[in-house]
Amino acid sequence: MTPTPPTDATADDRDSETTADTDDHLIPRLGLPRRDFIKAGAAVGAMGTLAGCTGLLDNNGDGVASASDVDASVPPGELDEYYAFLSGGHSGDVRVYGVPSMRQIMRIPVFNYESARGYGHDDETREMLESAGDYTWGDAHHPRVSQTDNDYDGRWVFINDKANGRMARINLKYFETDAIVDIPNTQGVHGACARLPDTDLIFGVGEYRVPIPNDGRNLDDPDAYESVLTAIEPESMNVVWQVRVDGNLDNGDGGKNGRWFFATDYNSDGAVTESEMARPDTDYLKAFDTIAIEEAVENGEYEEINGVPVVDGTTESPLNQGDRPLVHYVDVPKSPHGVSVTPDGTYAIVSGKLDPTCTVVEIDRFDEVDDPNDVIVGQPLVGGGPLHTAYDGRGHAYTTLFVDSQVVKWDIEAAVDAERRSEDPIIEKIDVHYNPGHLIAAESYTADPQGDWLISLNKLSKDRFLPVGPVHPENDQLIYIGDDDAGMQLVKDTPAYPEPHDASMVHRSKIDPEPVYDPEDLETEYVDVDDTEVIREDGRVHIKMTSQRNEFGFHDVTVQEGDEVTITTTNIETTSDLLHSLAIPQYDINVKLAPQETREVTFTADKPGVYWMYCAYFCSALHLEMRSRLLVEPEE
Ligand code: RUQ
Ligand code: CUA
């Protein structure tokens, strides 16, 4: 999303005071402190960590240092230290980068049909996409990696579809999407987060207010529209409950101790136009007591709507009046956007978006205070257009400033000690190019961030890359944050196809993908050399065949015009990285087959003629010869 800035300001009219502040902190230096040297050294291999003491470069001539002497190159043949999972926005996919090289290693289709991976082209993935709403695209925003005991466990990535109100699960054993659920009673599921420490619930944060159920009632009565928070069970991907609230819901994050979930609300008035939505000086941070909500569901205190127990969490709800309210409403300025919980679980930090502050909320105080606003313990003045906050595990917060085109580093405890709206907790600001949305620090969402790398996901790149027409790439900038003395150091620009939103960064030791499929994990039955056959029955033809270098199990198969044809193909290779595909272009088929993978595709042979079935993955010198004929006999 592109948030509405309070003014039209962009990088070009940055506050000169903050720029000067940046300069002060970005001073040339001789080297990294030892601990950071070790971390950086591990990241880039033994060599080349300090590429001489070059100082900082004013490489775009604006008088501001914008590159550093931290060498983030990863030599050919060497591997990165981190996986970064970046959402693809309205491309609908997830991109996998290696950090610090920022090389894009893989793309994982999620809400988009994609031919290179045959996603949406075989029966199983097509059915998954169609049964979850039959949409052809999605807007993937918030990739969150599953955790156990507040640390990444390498099992799954969950990601929302902001456009169509869906939630998807990516299986990290195979780096592929294995489940999508279309969430009822909501439009535009924005935030996507887990209940921690163990990812036992996934939350979809319902952004758009609509009538519930949305069946034609209350069409033009916005006061009667509602948003819901949705809880999803991660193993089954079933929606287990929802909570309706006043106002709307935007971004979210889970507390670390299995109880709290936080979501921002930029439309507390329930408005339907931009100017009305931006009018109130405060909107809400909502704190959901998920344990109390589960108790209400267990006690039957809900209304079932479209098959889902919906609990009433509005301010007027009787369930919200006692000493254990389901949802606490905290007033925060102004159209707040991101919320994230600090690694130690002490605070939830909310970004003001239309107010130049972040609001620090002490989570334990919810049980102690009568007025929910008394949970606010700090409110540093961070700069223009604060959107999202990440952590280094050393007590610092890093917040993107959309309007100022900067990332600001500030001290969390200093913000608690300082007066409200004070700049004292600010440590430094660094210019980014330009207009950042999210940012992510290595393992920032866990209890133990790594504290070395940070990526600022900038919405605009303007002139940072060769011009490619009116659609510009975005710019994911890599910043080194491992040296508090030297300050934040901008290391790398990375053009990104529109439009990444959020990311999670995971140390490579926590992810262990399989190089080859285990046939046991696949729904479709393995076809071995002895199993190749053609089964014909009442206008249905089932072709079971193998694929291997350099042929399919049949050189030709004849079917009748009008037959419903199913082809099941197994790539019987066991050599890793040796893929085949089954492409029948005139029938719009292209199924990918990784080693030991079996896929099935069904179509109606409604065009008589000769159709080459060929392999679209380059598999050997005789790859072009890997083709067989499908002969469709005309009806008599
Ligand atoms: S949002 S740029 Cu969809 Cu995460 Cu804030
Ligand atoms: Cu098999 Cu190309």
Side-chain angles (χ1 to χ4, degrees), residues 207-211 218-226 247-248 266-280:
E207 183 180 5
Y208 297 155
R209 302 173 70 254
V210 286
N218 299 330
L219 276 191
D220 201 17
D221 180 10
D223 285 344
Y225 301 174
E226 287 174 304
N248 87 332
Y266 61 78
N267 186 16
S268 52
D269 274 4
V272 290
T273 63
E274 185 222 72
S275 56
E276 287 168 12
M277 288 184 212
R279 190 177 302 146

Side-chain angles (χ1 to χ4, degrees), residues 548-550 579-581 615-620 623-624 626:
Q548 62 181 310
R549 282 163 287 170
N550 291 92
L579 276 77
H580 301 289
S581 86
C615 167
Y617 257 97
F618 201 99
C619 49
S620 81
H623 152 78
L624 290 178
M626 185 171 170

Side-chain angles (χ1 to χ4, degrees), residues 309-386:
V310 181
V311 177
D312 187 356
T314 58
T315 44
E316 299 297 309
S317 165
L319 295 169
N320 257 345
Q321 310 312 321
D323 41 334
R324 184 99 188 247
L326 306 187
V327 187
H328 302 248
Y329 290 67
V330 183
D331 297 317
V332 294
K334 173 183 181 163
S335 300
H337 187 64
V339 53
S340 56
V341 173
T342 53
D344 60 7
T346 306
Y347 305 112
I349 294 179
V350 187
S351 301
K353 191 166 82 183
L354 302 190
D355 186 79
T357 60
C358 282
T359 297
V360 183
V361 160
E362 188 176 336
I363 295 170
D364 278 350
R365 290 174 75 90
F366 280 106
D367 286 329
E368 295 158 12
V369 299
D370 294 327
D371 178 350
N373 292 334
D374 290 341
V375 298
I376 297 174
V377 293
Q379 207 161 58
L381 194 61
V382 291

Side-chain angles (χ1 to χ4, degrees), residues 1 3 141-142 162 190 251 337 387-388 437-438 459 501-502:
M1 45 139 306
H141 273 220
H142 300 110
K162 170 176 151 61
H190 194 194
N251 279 287
H337 187 64
L387 290 186
H388 293 281
H438 277 270
K459 296 296 177 197
H501 276 258
D502 188 12

Side-chain angles (χ1 to χ4, degrees), residues 545-556 569-573 578-585 590-595 597 611-630:
M545 65 181 191
T546 53
S547 57
Q548 62 181 310
R549 282 163 287 170
N550 291 92
E551 56 187 7
F552 295 108
F554 290 104
H555 292 138
D556 50 68
T569 320
T570 298
N571 176 352
I572 59 172
E573 310 261 5
L578 243 201
L579 276 77
H580 301 289
S581 86
L582 172 68
I584 314 176
N590 186 29
V591 175
K592 166 226 52 164
L593 298 159
E597 184 174 17
Y611 299 97
W612 287 100
M613 309 189 274
Y614 84 104
C615 167
Y617 257 97
F618 201 99
C619 49
S620 81
L622 287 170
H623 152 78
L624 290 178
E625 288 82 350
M626 185 171 170
R627 52 194 171 105
S628 298
R629 288 176 304 156
L630 176 71

Side-chain angles (χ1 to χ4, degrees), residues 114-424:
E114 209 271 335
S115 54
R117 295 187 56 149
Y119 184 75
H121 290 257
D122 69 280
D123 289 356
E124 198 189 326
T125 56
R126 192 197 305 139
E127 215 177 279
M128 179 169 70
L129 283 162
E130 288 178 355
S131 65
D134 203 8
Y135 312 107
T136 58
W137 70 287
D139 194 359
H141 273 220
H142 300 110
R144 293 297 182 99
V145 180
S146 57
Q147 300 191 30
T148 300
D149 199 17
N150 283 316
D151 194 11
Y152 290 130
D153 59 21
R155 289 201 291 167
W156 293 310
V157 179
F158 296 91
I159 185 154
N160 68 304
D161 172 7
K162 170 176 151 61
N164 302 308
R166 292 178 291 178
M167 187 71 69
R169 185 180 68 195
I170 293 167
N171 168 354
L172 288 180
K173 191 170 178 188
Y174 299 117
F175 277 56
E176 66 187 15
T177 307
D178 71 357
I180 303 178
V181 56
D182 191 11
I183 302 173
N185 303 327
T186 183
Q187 276 175 29
V189 166
H190 194 194
C193 285
R195 182 163 73 179
L196 298 174
D198 296 324
T199 314
D200 60 340
L201 283 181
I202 306 300
F203 297 109
V205 183
E207 183 180 5
Y208 297 155
R209 302 173 70 254
V210 286
I212 301 176
N214 193 15
D215 55 3
R217 73 185 67 191
N218 299 330
L219 276 191
D220 201 17
D221 180 10
D223 285 344
Y225 301 174
E226 287 174 304
S227 293
V228 293
L229 177 77
T230 303
I232 298 165
E233 199 279 311
E235 298 267 355
S236 65
M237 290 294 278
N238 288 334
V239 172
V240 287
W241 47 258
Q242 295 182 314
V243 188
R244 60 206 315 167
V245 293
D246 290 321
N248 87 332
L249 296 166
D250 186 18
N251 279 287
D253 199 16
K256 305 279 193 220
N257 69 353
R259 178 173 171 200
W260 295 103
F261 182 77
F262 303 94
T264 51
D265 166 348
Y266 61 78
N267 186 16
S268 52
D269 274 4
V272 290
T273 63
E274 185 222 72
S275 56
E276 287 168 12
M277 288 184 212
R279 190 177 302 146
D281 284 334
T282 58
D283 295 282
Y284 293 126
L285 169 72
K286 291 169 189 154
F288 295 84
D289 185 337
T290 64
I291 302 292
I293 294 165
E294 282 173 336
E295 276 167 25
V297 174
E298 247 159 63
N299 297 338
E301 293 168 303
Y302 60 80
E303 185 186 346
E304 187 166 316
I305 307 174
N306 288 319
V308 180
V310 181
V311 177
D312 187 356
T314 58
T315 44
E316 299 297 309
S317 165
L319 295 169
N320 257 345
Q321 310 312 321
D323 41 334
R324 184 99 188 247
L326 306 187
V327 187
H328 302 248
Y329 290 67
V330 183
D331 297 317
V332 294
K334 173 183 181 163
S335 300
H337 187 64
V339 53
S340 56
V341 173
T342 53
D344 60 7
T346 306
Y347 305 112
I349 294 179
V350 187
S351 301
K353 191 166 82 183
L354 302 190
D355 186 79
T357 60
C358 282
T359 297
V360 183
V361 160
E362 188 176 336
I363 295 170
D364 278 350
R365 290 174 75 90
F366 280 106
D367 286 329
E368 295 158 12
V369 299
D370 294 327
D371 178 350
N373 292 334
D374 290 341
V375 298
I376 297 174
V377 293
Q379 207 161 58
L381 194 61
V382 291
L387 290 186
H388 293 281
T389 298
Y391 307 104
D392 62 10
R394 300 188 300 271
H396 307 125
Y398 299 79
T399 302
T400 47
L401 302 174
F402 181 84
V403 176
D404 291 348
S405 284
Q406 292 182 316
V407 170
V408 52
K409 174 182 179 182
W410 51 281
D411 186 298
I412 301 165
E413 285 305 330
V416 172
D417 294 340
E419 298 278 300
R420 302 267 170 99
R421 307 186 80 84
S422 153
E423 274 190 313
D424 291 349

